[in-house]
Amino acid sequence: MLSEAEIRALEGQIGTAVRDDQRHHENLQNLLRQFQSLLQSYNGLKSDYEEEKANREKWKNQAKGQERNPFVLVLVDGDGYLFKEHLVKAGSEGGVTAAQLMNESIRRLLQERLPDQANQCRVMVRIYSNLLGLSKTLARAGLAGFEARSLSAFTSNFTRSQDLFDFIDAGDKKEGADFKIREEMFRLFADNSQCKHIFFAGCHDTGYLSLLTPYIGKRNRITLLKAASFHPEFKTLDLPIREMPDVFMSAPLGESQPTAPTPTPAATFASPARAPVCKHFQKGICKYGNSCIKDHTMPGQQLSRTQLDTPSQTLSTVRHYAKYLPSMDSKAEKLIPVNKDGDRIDTYCPMPAKGAWETYNRRFKQRKLCNKFHLGGECSDLSCEFDHSTSDVDPGCLSVMRYMMRQRPCPKGSKCRSLKCYHGHMCQKDGCKCTKWSKFGRDIHTIDIKVAHWLVPVEHDDQSETTPSEAISGVKLMEFEKHSDSSSEGVEIGLSTWNNHLL
């Protein structure tokens, strides 16, 4: 039997155990409460993270979409910026030509302003004017008819000729064009990341200064276009100023505009110099342009450049190339045309139709076609990543590819004799004035484009299986073609060239 002291000791031990157990229970409950709090905080942070992640992905997708379709905006106050007289007088045809010239001029400016993005950016043009009032003004100047809105034929064809070109009637209210440009278009696209640059043509009206003031010095964002009645206060904005002399009048309506007589096709190749030759023009640094008193003639060229820069010559350029350049026929598929100086002449390659460009763009989004295979005839690159299939290639795609590659000069220049070469050996650009933006050298713009001989390509030399008899029969065929085609202007077949080759 336990003694009194042992019983008290056991009682103390039991009490200690109970207290320890109670303290342990309280600690456990405290830990559970802390865990519950941490769990709630974790769930809240996780929810915030998921929401932030979703927003980030949303903005990334939007940013990708914005970079996918870059463009440049051309804003024009049509009441102050008038098209060249010969374009307005041409009516509906002048509208088409004006749109083409504007597109080419903006493309040249893009090569200067955005060289890395020039080829990716589309050109959007918005011209706002009081069509009724402008028609009356041009009618009084003898450039349009006296019927109401006589300029509509010009403006409608300007709009139809390019996808993103619009000539908009802003109504006959005072400053209607100003409101549309200031309140609608400029502020809408000024901070748009897809809009890479804005060309602003409204520098005749100081009312636009308040619109442009917040963008002082932002030379990578805005370029001012200069034409007649350019106000000097716009120079204080510290923005680049450029001109489009092929498109807009350089003097106010009613004053004399730079003109020149329409040259005949024969004058294109023979026109005597009338003044000392301008050496600065030959170096590409003449700052006087058409007003220079010296003759703008390149070395070996007989026609003055001041005559080539006339509007009438610009309009006839495409007809000039179509007349003198050979077409892509069975002869051009086997032989190489050259002029009397031995310079290679390309076959005529006009601008593809709108439908062909659309077909090419759709095909390009699927997979890019291989230039070497489809234009050159073969591709020796076993790891080529471009498309070589021929089953679903539309002829329109090939015409666009051929046109684009003709804009890239051949490294061998006019001495190239390869039939597989699909690059350009001469400039066929409509209205090209051999400016510093031209990819072809100045000498290329002055060569004689009449075909004098048809030469055997270098690939023919590699075909050892071609027998002399076959070559001689080819000579006879060429001789027959020479007599049958004797009525074709400017095209002769050099029989002696073939005989020298056989020897």
Side-chain angles (χ1 to χ4, degrees), residues 14 28 42 53 98 117 127 176 292 358 383-384 392 395 400 468 481 494:
I14 292 174
L28 182 60
Y42 168 78
K53 181 180 178 181
Q117 306 179 57
I127 303 178
C292 182
E358 295 175 350
S383 60
C384 181
D392 59 341
V400 172
E481 290 178 346

Side-chain angles (χ1 to χ4, degrees), residues 1-12:
M1 186 171 179
L2 296 176
S3 62
E4 185 71 21
E6 291 176 338
I7 292 175
R8 286 199 208 91
L10 289 174
E11 184 178 6

Side-chain angles (χ1 to χ4, degrees), residues 83-87 228 243-262 288-292 306-314 433:
F83 284 93
K84 303 285 282 188
E85 290 185 357
H86 69 279
L87 296 175
E243 296 185 62
M244 297 173 63
D246 296 339
V247 180
F248 297 120
M249 292 185 183
S250 56
L253 187 63
E255 298 184 10
S256 59
Q257 302 286 337
T259 57
T262 303
Y288 296 104
N290 291 339
S291 62
C292 182
T306 56
Q307 293 181 345
L308 283 178
D309 289 343
T310 61
S312 58
Q313 179 64 24
T314 300
K433 296 182 179 179

Side-chain angles (χ1 to χ4, degrees), residues 19 29 31 81 89 94 98 228 247 265 267 346 407 440 475 477 484:
R19 287 191 297 271
Q29 292 296 323
L31 287 174
Y81 281 63
K89 286 183 178 179
V247 180
D346 287 331
Q407 311 305 314
F440 294 86
V475 174
L477 176 60
S484 63

Side-chain angles (χ1 to χ4, degrees), residues 344 346 405-418 420-426 439-441 444:
R344 179 168 179 172
D346 287 331
M405 297 309 298
R406 286 287 181 89
Q407 311 305 314
R408 300 184 180 182
C410 174
K412 296 182 179 179
S414 59
K415 303 305 177 184
C416 175
R417 297 294 183 263
S418 174
K420 297 179 182 179
C421 181
Y422 45 80
H423 290 94
H425 305 89
M426 55 173 290
K439 296 180 180 179
F440 294 86
I444 298 298

